[in-house]
Amino acid sequence: MDEVTLNFNSESLLLLNFLLGFIMFGVALDLKVEDFRRVLLNPKASIIGLISQWVILPIITLVLIFIFEPRPSMALGMILVACCPGGNISNFISKLAGGNAALSVSLTALTTSAAIFMTPFSFAFWSSFIEGAQGLKSSISLNIWDMFSTIIYLIVIPVIFGLTFAHYKPVIAQKIRKPVNILSIVIFAAFVVIAFMKNADYFIEYIHLIFVVVLFHNGLAFLSGYWMAKLAGLEESERKAISIETGIQNSGLGLVLIFNFFDGIGGMAIIAGWWGIWHIVAGLIIAFVWSGRKVFA
């Protein structure tokens, strides 16, 4: 799988870049200056959420890599997903689950902003522990600063545009917020499905490995977020929000980085792509359960 390159041309990459920008624009429509201020007013929950996402999840990822011993390209894909910020659907799922929606939005705002620095440097740090990955990264000639600049135009520019639009056109922003978020999720999901169909042979050959790895990886992400918050003494709604923020990752950003900097290596792309589908399914199942009764208590 390390030598497999997915069928993905420059036009598809351009479309994927545009889709991620559109998704981040939709995320920004939900953000306000108050969301960042709320982080300062409730630092404990925010700090626990950040530790869960930026420290605990990568550590869990390394443990799983040592247990499953996947191919280096798959391992790198797992690390990259773990180093991405929270996904745009996390706020929606938090509301469905009865989580603290304000905390969820605040964490999305914070991790999305921090991703400019955290994603490239976290990936460089955590991936250094993966045996056999150094040669693979060297063959790709990954430049962390190039990744940094790419994240700026993939995240910063669309988010600034969205925040500005929401500030000056609040009525219109309110009307289009929900349709834009739903449309972005549907289009991204369709894009991933089509990409899988174009590479069906690879997907069928490795799905048994990918499914199990992502199932455990994503499941432990949700669990670790919840238990981190519980051990910190946070209330139930905050536990749910942090769990969902940790389990829902911006795999779209991961895919864009994979095709921009890793030549679309099959192991990385299939991990990120399948995560992007599975975390929605898992998140909705968890929201359905949590909306009716408490679990993990």
Side-chain angles (χ1 to χ4, degrees):
M1 185 178 286
D2 292 343
E3 287 75 35
V4 170
T5 300
L6 297 189
N7 178 20
F8 200 84
N9 55 35
S10 57
E11 290 78 12
S12 297
L13 178 58
L14 181 63
L15 176 59
L16 182 58
N17 288 342
F18 174 79
L19 285 178
L20 181 61
F22 184 67
I23 288 171
M24 298 316 301
F25 170 77
V27 170
L29 292 178
D30 280 324
L31 304 181
K32 299 179 179 63
V33 175
E34 288 76 14
D35 298 323
F36 295 92
R37 188 180 296 121
R38 196 180 295 116
V39 173
L40 299 177
L41 298 176
N42 187 15
K44 181 179 179 180
S46 301
I47 291 171
I48 294 301
L50 291 177
I51 292 174
S52 175
Q53 184 148 358
W54 293 118
V55 180
I56 302 302
L57 181 56
I59 291 175
I60 289 174
T61 304
L62 284 179
V63 172
L64 285 176
I65 289 170
F66 293 144
I67 292 173
F68 284 106
E69 297 183 342
R71 298 293 301 171
S73 62
M74 290 176 60
L76 286 177
M78 293 170 67
I79 289 292
L80 183 59
V81 167
C83 293
C84 285
N88 64 313
I89 196 177
S90 61
N91 308 144
F92 169 70
I93 291 180
S94 286
K95 292 177 183 177
L96 287 181
N100 187 319
L103 175 60
S104 177
V105 172
S106 299
L107 286 173
T108 298
L110 199 57
T111 57
T112 297
S113 303
I116 305 167
F117 305 99
M118 290 299 296
T119 295
F121 291 112
S122 290
F123 176 78
F125 175 75
W126 294 108
S127 64
S128 66
F129 295 98
I130 301 176
E131 185 178 354
Q134 296 306 314
L136 190 59
K137 288 196 298 182
S138 298
S139 66
I140 302 166
S141 300
L142 174 64
N143 187 312
I144 296 299
W145 292 106
D146 286 344
M147 185 185 290
F148 170 82
S149 62
T150 299
I151 292 176
I152 289 180
Y153 75 75
L154 288 175
I155 289 183
V156 177
I157 295 176
V159 167
I160 290 177
F161 182 63
L163 287 169
T164 304
F165 186 86
H167 178 75
Y168 288 103
K169 301 291 182 180
V171 177
I172 298 176
Q174 180 64 31
K175 290 181 179 179
I176 69 172
R177 182 179 290 118
K178 187 175 181 179
V180 166
N181 284 328
I182 293 175
L183 183 62
S184 65
I185 292 169
V186 171
I187 293 177
F188 176 73
F191 183 91
V192 172
V193 170
I194 292 172
F196 275 136
M197 291 175 62
K198 288 184 177 180
N199 298 274
D201 292 342
Y202 298 139
F203 182 65
I204 292 172
E205 183 176 355
Y206 297 108
I207 183 57
H208 63 290
L209 297 174
I210 301 298
F211 182 83
V212 173
V213 168
V214 171
L215 178 67
F216 277 91
H217 194 193
N218 184 237
L220 288 175
F222 282 112
L223 282 171
S224 64
Y226 185 91
W227 282 102
M228 271 287 297
K230 184 171 184 176
L231 291 173
L234 301 182
E235 61 184 45
E236 182 70 12
S237 64
E238 294 172 323
R239 299 174 197 173
K240 291 178 180 180
I242 291 175
S243 171
I244 292 168
E245 280 297 311
T246 309
I248 303 292
Q249 295 291 91
N250 192 339
S251 55
L253 173 61
L255 277 174
V256 169
L257 296 178
I258 288 166
F259 286 107
N260 272 289
F261 295 101
F262 297 90
D263 297 330
I265 291 179
M268 293 187 75
I270 294 178
I271 284 284
W274 181 246
W275 179 289
I277 294 174
W278 178 251
H279 74 178
I280 296 175
V281 176
L284 290 175
I285 292 173
I286 289 173
F288 175 77
V289 174
W290 264 338
S291 63
R293 59 186 176 86
K294 294 182 181 180
V295 294
F296 306 131

